[in-house]
C-alpha cells in the first residue's frame, strides 16, 4: 500500500482505496473496532491465511490506519489499535454495513446497537455544510487545474 500521494491522481476515492481497498483490510478494521486487537483473535474471526493477515496488518500500519503496540515482552506479543485515521474510517464501515444490509440483507445479520438508547443505528452520510443526505440531490465534481 505504500505509494507516493502526489503521484496517485486527483481522485480522493482512489487515494482512499489505495489504503483500504480490499476486503481483508476493511474486515481487519472492523474487527479491531469490535475489540479483536490481537493477531490470533483476528485470524480466528476472519479465517484468513497467516501470510495475508500479516501483509494486511503491515500495510494498514504503513498507511497510518492502525498502530502496533507491544502488550507482552515474554513472549513478545503485539496488539493493533486504530489511529485517528482508522477511527475516522468507522463511519464509512457503518455506511457500508447499512448498504449491505439493505441490498444484500437476506438471513440473520449482525446489528450495531447504540449503547445509550438500545436502538439499532441507521447510518446516513450527510453534507456537513447543509445537512442534506448525500445522494439526495445532484452534485458535480470540480477538478484541479
Amino acid at each position: 500500500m505504500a505509494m507516493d500521494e502526489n503521484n496517485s491522481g486527483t481522485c480522493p476515492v482512489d487515494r482512499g482505496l489505495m489504503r483500504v481497498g480490499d476486503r481483508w483490510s476493511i474486515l481487519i478494521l472492523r474487527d479491531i473496532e469490535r475489540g479483536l486487537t490481537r493477531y490470533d483473535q483476528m485470524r480466528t474471526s476472519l479465517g484468513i491465511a497467516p501470510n495475508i493477515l500479516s501483509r494486511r496488518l503491515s500495510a494498514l500500519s504503513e498507511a497510518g490506519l492502525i498502530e502496533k503496540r507491544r502488550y507482552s515482552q515474554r513472549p513478545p506479543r503485539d496488539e493493533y489499535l486504530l489511529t485517528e485515521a482508522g477511527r475516522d474510517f468507522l463511519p464509512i464501515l457503518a455506511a457500508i454495513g447499512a448498504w449491505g444490509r439493505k441490498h444484500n440483507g437476506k438471513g440473520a445479520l449482525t446489528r450495531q446497537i447504540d449503547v445509550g438508547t438500545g436502538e439499532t443505528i441507521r447510518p446516513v452520510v450527510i453534507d456537513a455544510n447543509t445537512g442534506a443526505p448525500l445522494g439526495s440531490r445532484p452534485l458535480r465534481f470540480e477538478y484541479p487545474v
Side-chain angles (χ1 to χ4, degrees):
M1 278 192 215
M3 84 294 304
D4 180 359
E5 271 187 17
N6 297 318
N7 293 323
S8 61
T10 60
C11 179
V13 172
D14 186 29
R15 288 187 183 196
L17 289 174
M18 293 284 290
R19 289 170 171 69
V20 296
D22 68 87
R23 174 180 182 244
W24 291 123
S25 294
I26 291 171
L27 292 175
I28 289 166
L29 293 171
R30 178 209 62 190
D31 274 7
I32 293 172
E33 176 198 11
R34 291 166 44 187
L36 305 176
T37 61
R38 298 180 180 178
Y39 183 91
D40 289 340
Q41 293 172 322
M42 287 182 252
R43 175 115 165 67
T44 299
S45 169
L46 298 171
I48 187 174
N51 61 323
I52 295 172
L53 178 56
S54 294
R55 276 194 307 238
R56 294 306 189 280
L57 288 169
S58 292
L60 288 167
S61 183
E62 286 176 30
L65 290 150
I66 64 172
E67 62 185 354
K68 184 168 41 169
R69 185 176 72 190
R70 176 95 0 131
Y71 70 86
S72 171
Q73 294 300 326
R74 288 194 176 191
R77 298 273 189 252
D78 299 312
E79 64 181 346
Y80 299 87
L81 304 170
L82 295 174
T83 62
E84 180 181 357
R87 288 186 300 278
D88 284 348
F89 190 74
L90 297 180
I92 297 165
L93 273 176
I96 291 170
W99 178 85
R101 176 177 293 284
K102 179 176 180 180
H103 294 288
N104 302 293
K106 305 273 190 270
L109 298 171
T110 59
R111 300 178 300 146
Q112 281 187 296
I113 307 297
D114 181 305
V115 174
T117 66
E119 298 291 324
T120 300
I121 67 161
R122 295 175 42 211
V124 176
V125 181
I126 64 164
D127 171 26
N129 294 320
T130 64
L134 295 185
S136 67
R137 55 193 197 178
L139 302 174
R140 69 178 168 80
F141 286 92
E142 187 175 284
Y143 295 92
V145 282

